[in-house]
Amino acid sequence: MAFPPQHELHKRRFSRNLGLGLTLAAFVALVFALTVVKVTRGEMTPTPMAPAAMAPAEQPAATGDAP
Amino acid sequence: MSDIGAYQGATQTPHEAGFGDYVELLKPRVMSLVVFTALVGLLVAPVGLHPVEAFAAILFIALGGGASGALNMWWDADIDAVMKRTARRPIPSGRIPAGEALALGLALSGFSVVMLGLATNMAAAGLLAFTIFFYAVVYSIWLKRSTPQNIVIGGAAGAFPPMIGWAAATGSVSLEAVLMFALIFMWTPPHFWALALFMKEDYHAAGVPMLTVTHGRKATRRHILVYTILLAPFALGAALTGIGGPLALAVAVGLNLWFLVGALRIWRRDEAMAVADNYAAEKSFFRFSLLYLFLHFAAFLVEALLKPYGLGGW
């Protein structure tokens, strides 16, 4: 059985799908590259809590043990 | 529509948009100006960005510009259909439904602003959001059809990209960024009014209150001269700041003198003279205005590129 010739509409649809696919692939690559840059520079590391900020939370427990 | 079965036997099949039609909706020619000026704004800034971040910043600024272009085409589809220059755009020519243009414009607006914020900083993202709002709502929806000063105020939208590029690198806005903004802002009116002088039938047919339609052509010629005179101090001022240097100053002096000569020629002519030579002076002024802006920003870029070798800048 012979396939019917490809309609022009299919060609336009293919061009749209291909364009969108390539755009999405490029976006994924860009987000990956951006993540690598930011992680390498340490921008994504959570900021450690300052000792001064932790101290008041520990103090009541210490004093609570005292007679 | 999932297949072509419904159209078989019909004399004409409806147009199904290709990828290029959606790209055209983003006004790629305007995007090229946005990319160039934003890139210069980013590269002349005193703080450097990682190349990947810089690339992402320019891409998302361009996408934001494209989004506002799609929103503009959605709103202006009725007048685009009337004007010869714009009748073949995707919506008036029937290649893309208006609703799809609106959806694409809104989606890309949100996407570009969020991504620019994540890639660089919130100041740049905020400026991009404001630019899209300004072009789509303040210019396209509000001013364009209501005042002959539409081009003057609307020009701000096209002037923001170098400022956004600068903000992407530095996280703030300074005098240099404001002067780059002012350079494009003051350049826009003479550029578009020269176009309106030789494309008069288009704007008249669409009912857009361009200065040529509301105040006449003589007043438009006078306005071109006044704005060209007002533009010069901003161009020279920018060349005297940290982004300028001897080369940028020489370029600014030369370009502004030449631009002024062109504006004077336009001011001295009347309609009969213009018709006689098919608007030669107006067309030449319009073409030169494109070169004017390109060379100004190219000079800032050259100054920045020469700095590491101890040659550029003051």
Side-chain angles (χ1 to χ4, degrees):
Chain A
M1 191 184 113
F3 286 104
Q6 196 182 38
H7 196 273
E8 212 245 322
L9 196 131
H10 288 130
K11 285 182 195 160
R12 276 199 298 267
R13 198 174 287 171
F14 177 74
S15 97
R16 201 174 61 194
N17 293 342
L18 182 71
L20 190 61
L22 291 175
T23 305
L24 286 173
F27 176 64
V28 170
L30 180 65
V31 171
F32 178 71
L34 267 175
T35 310
V36 169
V37 168
K38 288 184 181 292
V39 169
T40 312
R41 216 168 35 202
E43 274 182 35
M44 312 286 269
T45 321
T47 318
M49 210 177 260
M54 291 168 71
E58 284 174 0
Q59 247 173 350
T63 48
D65 286 343
Chain B
M1 194 58 65
S2 63
D3 207 352
I4 59 161
Y7 308 121
Q8 293 209 327
T11 51
Q12 253 191 326
T13 53
H15 187 94
E16 185 159 312
F19 190 70
D21 294 323
Y22 290 97
V23 173
E24 204 183 323
L25 209 54
L26 308 183
K27 296 193 178 181
R29 281 176 64 190
V30 178
M31 266 167 91
S32 63
L33 181 71
V34 168
V35 166
F36 177 63
T37 55
L39 182 69
V40 172
L42 190 144
L43 291 177
V44 301
V47 186
L49 271 183
H50 189 283
V52 173
E53 287 176 317
F55 175 78
I58 298 299
L59 179 72
F60 296 128
I61 294 170
L63 267 186
S68 60
L71 292 173
N72 169 273
M73 283 206 201
W74 160 72
W75 183 257
D76 278 347
D78 58 335
I79 55 175
D80 281 350
V82 179
M83 297 203 288
K84 202 168 54 185
R85 186 171 63 90
T86 52
R88 274 176 293 184
R89 283 179 173 176
I91 304 174
S93 64
R95 282 174 288 153
I96 292 182
E100 275 191 26
L102 173 65
L104 184 72
L106 289 175
L108 280 184
S109 296
F111 175 77
S112 58
V113 169
V114 170
M115 285 310 298
L116 183 65
L118 291 173
T120 59
N121 56 65
M122 287 303 134
L127 277 172
L128 181 64
F130 182 71
T131 305
I132 296 170
F133 169 79
F134 199 91
Y135 187 67
V137 178
V138 177
Y139 172 68
S140 302
I141 296 179
W142 179 29
L143 295 174
K144 188 173 177 178
R145 301 182 195 212
S146 62
T147 166
Q149 296 301 312
N150 48 16
I151 287 300
V152 179
I153 307 160
F160 274 112
M163 191 186 260
I164 304 173
W166 179 281
T170 63
S172 63
V173 171
S174 68
L175 175 69
E176 291 90 340
V178 172
L179 284 171
M180 283 191 285
F181 169 91
L183 181 60
I184 304 180
F185 181 67
M186 297 304 292
W187 162 90
T188 308
H191 168 78
F192 275 106
W193 283 332
L195 177 74
L197 279 175
F198 61 85
M199 297 289 277
K200 54 178 179 176
E201 302 305 331
D202 262 10
Y203 290 114
H204 196 76
V208 176
M210 283 298 276
L211 204 61
T212 44
V213 179
T214 58
H215 289 67
R217 315 175 70 71
K218 195 171 168 54
T220 306
R221 291 172 188 279
R222 194 170 59 244
H223 272 71
I224 288 176
L225 178 63
V226 170
Y227 272 86
T228 305
I229 294 168
L230 293 175
L231 166 66
F234 291 103
L236 296 172
L240 290 169
T241 62
I243 56 170
L247 173 76
L249 186 61
V251 167
V253 170
L255 288 175
N256 282 279
L257 277 175
W258 195 249
F259 209 37
L260 204 55
V261 169
L264 274 168
R265 272 177 71 199
I266 288 180
W267 176 62
R268 281 191 187 146
R269 281 152 68 88
D270 58 21
E271 211 43 34
M273 290 166 77
V275 171
D277 65 4
N278 195 23
Y279 294 90
E282 290 77 6
K283 286 177 181 171
S284 136
F285 183 83
F286 176 76
R287 278 195 300 269
F288 180 71
S289 69
L290 292 166
L291 192 66
Y292 173 97
L293 199 67
F294 172 76
L295 289 180
H296 264 295
F297 279 84
F300 296 146
L301 187 59
V302 170
E303 292 284 1
L305 294 176
L306 288 177
K307 262 182 198 167
Y309 305 100
L311 292 169
W314 293 109

